[in-house]
Structures are given as C-alpha cells and as structure tokens.
Amino acid sequence: MSSRAFKSKSSTLTLKQSKLSFGALKATAAVNKAKEAVTVSEASSSTSRRPRRTAAAKPSFVDIESSDEELNVDDIELTKSEPSSESEIEKDEEEKPSAKKPGNARVPAVTKEREAEASRLKLLAEAAQSPSKLLQVVAGPRKGEFGKTDIDELAESRPKLNIKNRAYDRVYKEARGKMAYAQTIHPTTEVDGEDVPLNRIDDILRLFDLNYDYGPCVGMTRLERWQRANKLGMNPPSEVYDILMTKEGLTESRYAQNVLYGRV
C-alpha cells in the first residue's frame, strides 16, 4: 500500500509540474507575440505622425490564444497615444492660424485712396455740367479735395465777366446809395503786383462784404459766404452769385476773396 501510494503521489506531482511548465511557455509565447505586434504598431504610427497635431493611434488588437494561465498585462508595452485632455486640445487649436472671415478683413489703404480719387473725379465731371455741383467743389465741404488747377479747369467752361452787363445795374445803384455816392478812399486795387482802378463790380462786391445782414466775411471766400447766407434764408443778392460764378469770379482773387483777405 505504501509503494502504490508513493507511485500515485509521484505521478500526480509529475503531471502537475508538466502542466505548469506548458502553461508558462504558452503565456511567454503570447507575451512575445504581443510585444512584436506593439513594436510594429509604434513604427507605423511614428512614420505617419504629422509635425504638429496627429490623430490618436488606434488600439492594436492581439489575438492571443486562450490558455489556462492568465496573461500578465504589465509585460505588454502599449503604444503612446496623443493627449486627449481638453486643455491640451484647446492649446493646440490656439496654435493654429485662425482663418479671417471676409467681413472682418480690413480694407487696404490703396483701395480707399482709389475710391476717394474716383469720387473726386466724378464730382469734377459733374461740376463741369452743373453749377450746383461746381458750387460744391468751390465752396462746399469737400473744397479741400480740389486744388487751384482743378478750379481753373472748371472755370474755362464758365462765362466771362461782363462789367457793363445791365443785369448788375440795380444792385450797383443800391451799393452807391448806401455809400452816399461818395468816392472810395482807395480807388485802386492790387492785381498781380500792380494797382488797377476799381470798377463797379468791385463796388458791388465790397458792399456785399461789409453788409452784416449776411454774417461776417472773415475767414471765407465770397462764394462761401453767399452760400452760407443762402442756406440760412438771408436772401443774398443773386447778382453777386452770378458774378462769382463767372470765369473771373472763380479764378481772380480780386473777385473771389473778400475785402479783408490778407489784411486780417
């Protein structure tokens, strides 16, 4: 009995040792197979990785044969995936250059200058045909956009000043009556460095300058003052407007500027 019991015990121990050895070898082979698959996955993911942001690597599935022994997951090296926390994703999004919307894009300065020049030329073309547009060029808010050359070109299309025009008789008589038909103290005016005798147009315009019913005359041209008085309903003389809208009235400072120009 003792001999049989010993043999039975010995065979049981031998069978148990063989099972443990077979299971350990099988688990080791499975671990090695998993490591090889993970290494191949790391190599492929490193070659396809972009310089800045890459998609998270997909998990690799290893088909490990079932065994009686449990596989130790600590022996398997997993591939490193991209961080997926919200803070890191937001940081990566901030590094990307934001696409500007067309509505928020700034208009280049060159484009603005071209539009302003096109508007200026359009007004010049209209001023050559319309006295009201010409008035905007000479005495309007956009007066600063136009130079002497522009005014001289527009004046070429205007009628010449006729000093003896009978249309100015009424306003001239009124001017002489307010002056008590007295002779002016300075009967000449300077034109291009020379003293030129005054004519009746000078008398009409000087009386217009000194008539405070149409407001002060300092700091503006006669045409600007006439336009201001007209807008305010002061009824300035239409004859003065006709004189100032002639070629000479637009180009010669003798007629265009007020009597205090260059003195105050």
Side-chain angles (χ1 to χ4, degrees):
M1 291 294 294
S2 60
S3 176
R4 185 177 301 174
F6 175 78
K7 289 181 180 181
S8 176
K9 183 177 181 180
S10 175
S11 63
T12 302
L13 292 175
T14 302
L15 181 61
K16 185 177 181 180
Q17 289 179 357
S18 176
K19 183 177 180 180
L20 288 174
S21 177
F22 176 78
L25 290 175
K26 191 171 183 181
T28 303
V31 170
N32 292 335
K33 186 176 181 181
K35 288 183 178 181
E36 291 178 0
V38 171
T39 305
V40 172
S41 175
E42 287 181 349
S44 62
S45 63
S46 62
T47 56
S48 62
R49 180 169 296 178
R50 295 180 180 177
R52 296 180 65 180
R53 184 185 179 188
T54 57
K58 296 182 178 180
S60 302
F61 296 95
V62 181
D63 185 12
I64 302 175
E65 297 179 358
S66 60
S67 62
D68 297 336
E69 299 293 333
E70 294 182 356
L71 182 63
N72 189 0
V73 294
D74 295 334
D75 295 336
I76 301 176
E77 296 181 1
L78 299 178
T79 58
K80 296 180 179 181
S81 60
E82 289 292 328
S84 59
S85 62
E86 294 182 359
S87 60
E88 293 181 352
I89 293 176
E90 291 178 357
K91 183 178 179 181
D92 187 63
E93 291 293 338
E94 291 177 357
E95 293 179 356
K96 289 185 177 182
S98 58
K100 295 182 178 180
K101 297 181 180 180
N104 297 333
R106 294 183 178 179
V107 180
V110 178
T111 304
K112 291 183 178 180
E113 291 178 359
R114 289 179 179 176
E115 292 178 354
E117 181 62 16
S119 177
R120 190 183 74 87
L121 295 176
K122 180 181 178 181
L123 184 55
L124 277 176
E126 294 174 349
Q129 306 295 330
S130 172
S132 61
K133 296 294 184 180
L134 177 59
L135 191 61
Q136 294 181 20
V137 172
V138 180
R142 299 179 60 181
K143 174 186 174 183
E145 300 179 19
F146 307 95
K148 187 177 183 302
T149 304
D150 297 326
I151 303 301
D152 292 343
E153 291 179 358
L154 291 174
E156 292 297 327
S157 61
R158 301 302 301 168
K160 291 184 178 182
L161 177 61
N162 182 7
I163 298 175
K164 298 180 180 181
N165 191 338
R166 299 293 299 272
Y168 308 141
D169 289 347
R170 182 187 65 84
V171 68
Y172 175 66
K173 288 179 180 180
E174 290 180 0
R176 292 297 296 163
K178 290 183 179 181
M179 294 171 61
Y181 298 97
Q183 295 294 329
T184 56
I185 299 175
H186 302 285
T188 61
T189 183
E190 186 177 344
V191 178
D192 297 332
E194 297 182 0
D195 291 335
V196 178
L198 298 176
N199 55 41
R200 69 176 192 160
I201 300 299
D202 294 312
D203 292 338
I204 293 172
L205 295 178
R206 287 191 174 201
L207 183 63
F208 173 70
D209 294 338
L210 301 177
N211 190 340
Y212 290 101
D213 292 340
Y214 310 121
C217 65
V218 179
M220 60 180 60
T221 64
R222 283 168 170 161
L223 192 55
E224 289 175 339
R225 182 167 177 258
W226 187 95
Q227 185 183 22
R228 183 190 64 185
N230 187 54
K231 286 184 176 180
L232 296 176
M234 297 178 178
N235 298 321
S238 59
E239 293 85 353
V240 173
Y241 172 82
D242 295 336
I243 293 171
L244 298 177
M245 290 294 285
T246 61
K247 179 180 178 180
E248 291 77 9
L250 292 171
T251 58
E252 295 183 15
S253 61
R254 169 184 184 175
Y255 302 119
Q257 302 295 340
N258 62 72
V259 68
L260 299 177
Y261 177 74
R263 301 177 184 179
V264 177

